[in-house]
Amino acid sequence: MGKIITIANQKGGVGKTTTAINLAACLAVLEYKTLLIDADPQGNATSGVGVDPRTIKGGLYECTIQQSNAKPYILKTDTPHLDVLPTNADLAGLEIELVNLNQREQMMKRVLQPLKDEYDFIIMDCCPSLGLIVINSLCAADSVLIPVQCEYFALEGMGQLLQTVKFVQTHLNTQLDIEGVLLTMFDGRLRLANQVVEEVKMHFQDMVFDTIIQRLTKLAEAPSFGKPSSCTMPQVKDLPII
């Protein structure tokens, strides 16, 4: 039985997609059968692994709204052991179409649960919001990983996000755990970045991962090549498993 990890934060530009792509790729390098799910209408996770969202015949939107088998929409990537369930701009309409449906928060879970028997890890990249798509992603997940940028507004909105997670844990998905808080885009030369790290660790303590993601040019450039960053791959076999 595989594990579904949702990458979520309603603040944009904190590294959700970069985290999702490279975490999925690292797990694949470790020879875990891994599925990356793009739950953001922008389709950046889809293009980030080399699939053009404009060319796909269907993806997360179609299988969720039709409550159909997701397997026909899953694509192979150039990374061994890594598949992707893609998306395109059509997913933006899902928010509106779900509003009047019964058990609207569980629509994605029904489609994704069977995939847990096919994969060791399923990584979901979410859009920067707390709308129905993200709520569906949290309901389908076993845990949520929260990227936080090492800048001034890092803690802004974290309270609201954690309240949403708590609501889901209480009313919709009692099995949902918080995987942890991941600090991203860290530049050790900046006093502000170091202050943010201290502030986040003070507020969230054991929830914060020891690993801090540096601000790296290779990470920023990788999506333009449609590949995970090579800088995440060296020594990946020494990394602890989530």
Side-chain angles (χ1 to χ4, degrees):
M1 181 69 72
K3 181 176 185 178
I4 301 179
I5 303 173
T6 288
I7 315 291
N9 190 330
Q10 80 272 27
K11 190 175 186 300
V14 299
K16 290 187 294 296
T17 301
T18 299
T19 300
I21 292 172
N22 288 283
L23 174 59
C26 285
L27 290 168
V29 167
L30 290 166
E31 298 186 359
Y32 289 98
K33 193 173 182 184
T34 306
L35 175 65
L36 175 64
I37 298 178
D38 192 346
D40 185 344
Q42 296 178 87
N44 291 334
T46 300
S47 60
V49 292
V51 177
D52 187 343
R54 297 169 297 180
T55 64
I56 64 172
K57 296 180 180 179
L60 184 61
Y61 168 78
E62 283 76 14
C63 60
T64 300
I65 203 64
Q66 296 168 11
Q67 291 291 277
S68 61
N69 189 349
K71 288 184 184 179
Y73 302 107
I74 293 174
L75 304 174
K76 297 287 185 183
T77 72
D78 291 337
T79 303
H81 308 293
L82 178 60
D83 296 342
V84 61
L85 177 56
T87 198
N88 55 27
D90 291 344
L91 188 66
L94 189 62
E95 294 270 1
I96 299 171
E97 295 183 54
L98 288 177
V99 168
N100 295 319
L101 298 181
N102 292 327
Q103 296 187 317
R104 59 190 180 184
E105 299 91 354
Q106 306 291 341
M107 299 287 284
M108 204 176 284
K109 181 176 183 177
R110 295 194 200 103
V111 171
L112 301 182
Q113 279 297 110
L115 297 177
K116 293 178 72 173
D117 294 327
E118 306 290 330
Y119 292 92
D120 298 309
F121 289 96
I122 298 173
I123 309 297
M124 297 185 67
D125 177 38
C126 288
C127 51
S129 79
L130 291 177
L132 273 174
I133 294 176
V134 175
I135 296 297
N136 264 266
S137 300
L138 293 173
C139 288
D142 297 300
S143 63
V144 55
L145 189 155
I146 305 170
V148 176
Q149 187 178 3
C150 294
E151 293 191 359
Y152 180 75
F153 293 113
L155 298 178
E156 187 175 287
M158 280 290 288
Q160 185 181 2
L161 174 60
L162 292 175
Q163 283 181 356
T164 300
V165 171
K166 185 175 181 179
F167 176 85
V168 171
Q169 289 173 322
T170 304
H171 300 285
L172 300 170
N173 181 5
T174 56
Q175 304 303 311
L176 180 66
D177 291 324
I178 297 178
E179 195 72 53
V181 175
L182 178 67
L183 291 161
T184 64
M185 304 183 195
F186 176 73
D187 187 341
R189 299 169 298 179
L190 302 178
R191 180 183 299 175
L192 177 60
N194 289 282
Q195 290 174 341
V196 169
V197 170
E198 292 176 9
E199 189 83 2
V200 171
K201 287 185 174 180
M202 182 180 70
H203 278 83
F204 301 104
Q205 300 179 5
D206 293 342
M207 289 171 57
V208 183
F209 287 111
D210 292 334
T211 299
I212 298 176
I213 306 303
Q214 307 285 327
R215 187 181 289 277
L216 297 171
T217 303
K218 285 186 177 180
L219 278 174
E221 291 176 342
S224 65
F225 295 96
K227 294 182 180 295
S229 174
S230 60
C231 65
T232 64
M233 300 307 167
Q235 299 177 340
V236 71
K237 294 188 181 296
D238 298 326
L239 293 176
I241 300 302
I242 289 174

